[in-house]
Amino acid sequence: MEKDFIEFFSGLERNYGFCDLTNAKKNSETGKLEPDSKDYGWSGKAITDEDYKNHLEGNLSIGVQPCREDGKVVFAAIDVDHYKDFDREKLLKKIIDNQIPVVPVKSKSEGFHLYLHTKEPVSAVFVRQFLKSLLYTLGLKANTEIFPKQTNVESSVGNFINIPYFGKTDRVAVNPNNGAEFTFEQFIPLIESNLVDPDQLTAITDSIDKKIFEGA
């Protein structure tokens, strides 16, 4: 299953991020965990399978830039970082009601990362546009962060997103039907059942647009 996890969260290979929350403090205004500057950043090294395994074993949390050198992605995410007065149940219900193939995962600051996984590498531009089109339907702000933030990494590495299942028990996926947490062993089949291709994404967008037009 570790091999599948690595494939599902593969992205830019020449660098990866790291995040140590040992000394992190919670922002009193936003509720977001903020690590010390020395504990968060780019490693300056190419990512290896061993880095992923260390992440899953709980040794050092890593982050991945979803956009690859060829401008394509196999995963992307909406970063829901609204922590105060945020109705999580309402968001999960919208995912179910609109049959959106994203997997909600608890973020390190108790928000959500809504992960999308594709059957094959897809244009990062196309995937970003798809996720952006979901924001209104999900009741999220127009400036909600979407990863990849960059769709071209020729001149810089851009931004990384902290991937889930640190130590296999932290930042776990939840069932949008009832909020129950998925174990790591359940997570891999969950991703497999939610894999999509560009045609499916287009069909989902068309369906949502139709609902909006009809006032549903």
Side-chain angles (χ1 to χ4, degrees):
M1 285 192 170
E2 286 82 1
K3 181 179 179 181
D4 293 325
F5 181 87
I6 293 171
E7 291 180 357
F8 288 141
F9 287 96
S10 64
L12 187 70
E13 296 181 348
R14 60 183 156 91
N15 208 338
Y16 68 94
F18 67 91
C19 180
D20 183 352
L21 295 178
T22 304
N23 301 308
K25 296 180 180 179
K26 183 173 287 190
N27 186 304
S28 60
E29 293 184 2
T30 65
K32 186 173 184 177
L33 278 177
E34 297 179 347
D36 188 276
S37 58
K38 71 179 185 332
D39 296 328
Y40 184 90
W42 287 97
S43 67
K45 300 181 293 184
I47 195 168
T48 67
D49 287 359
E50 196 62 29
D51 295 314
Y52 283 99
K53 291 176 182 177
N54 280 330
H55 172 89
L56 292 173
E57 291 170 2
N59 298 322
L60 180 63
S61 175
I62 64 172
V64 177
Q65 157 64 283
C67 187
R68 312 185 321 178
E69 298 285 3
D70 60 2
K72 295 184 178 182
V73 299
V74 293
F75 84 97
I78 297 175
D79 183 2
V80 185
D81 62 356
H82 311 305
Y83 306 112
K84 288 192 174 182
D85 302 319
F86 178 63
D87 192 334
R88 290 169 173 77
E89 288 70 27
K90 186 176 181 180
L91 172 64
L92 296 178
K93 187 176 186 303
K94 287 180 179 291
I95 292 173
I96 293 295
D97 290 346
N98 292 280
Q99 298 181 314
I100 299 174
V102 293
V103 177
V105 170
K106 292 182 177 180
S107 70
K108 59 182 173 58
S109 297
E110 300 177 2
F112 274 127
H113 287 167
L114 306 181
Y115 281 103
L116 177 79
H117 292 268
T118 59
K119 294 178 180 178
E120 58 189 30
V122 179
S123 161
V125 173
F126 179 82
V127 172
R128 264 192 64 86
Q129 290 174 338
F130 170 74
L131 292 180
K132 192 170 182 61
S133 74
L134 299 180
L135 297 181
Y136 175 79
T137 298
L138 293 172
L140 300 173
K141 298 177 181 178
N143 64 348
T144 298
E145 288 186 305
I146 294 174
F147 290 82
K149 286 190 174 183
Q150 298 79 22
T151 56
N152 185 313
V153 290
E154 289 182 2
S155 59
S156 71
V157 290
N159 299 83
F160 63 82
I161 185 169
N162 295 299
I163 60 176
Y165 284 85
F166 177 56
K168 293 188 177 179
T169 58
D170 190 24
R171 283 173 256 151
V172 301
V174 300
N175 187 332
N177 287 293
N178 55 24
E181 297 182 355
F182 288 100
T183 65
F184 178 73
E185 289 71 25
Q186 294 170 323
F187 182 56
I188 299 304
L190 177 65
I191 293 179
E192 292 173 338
S193 67
N194 279 276
L195 293 173
V196 291
D197 59 37
D199 288 341
Q200 288 172 294
L201 297 181
T202 299
I204 292 167
T205 302
D206 291 344
S207 176
I208 290 175
D209 288 346
K210 183 179 180 181
K211 285 184 179 181
I212 294 174
F213 179 76
E214 295 176 347

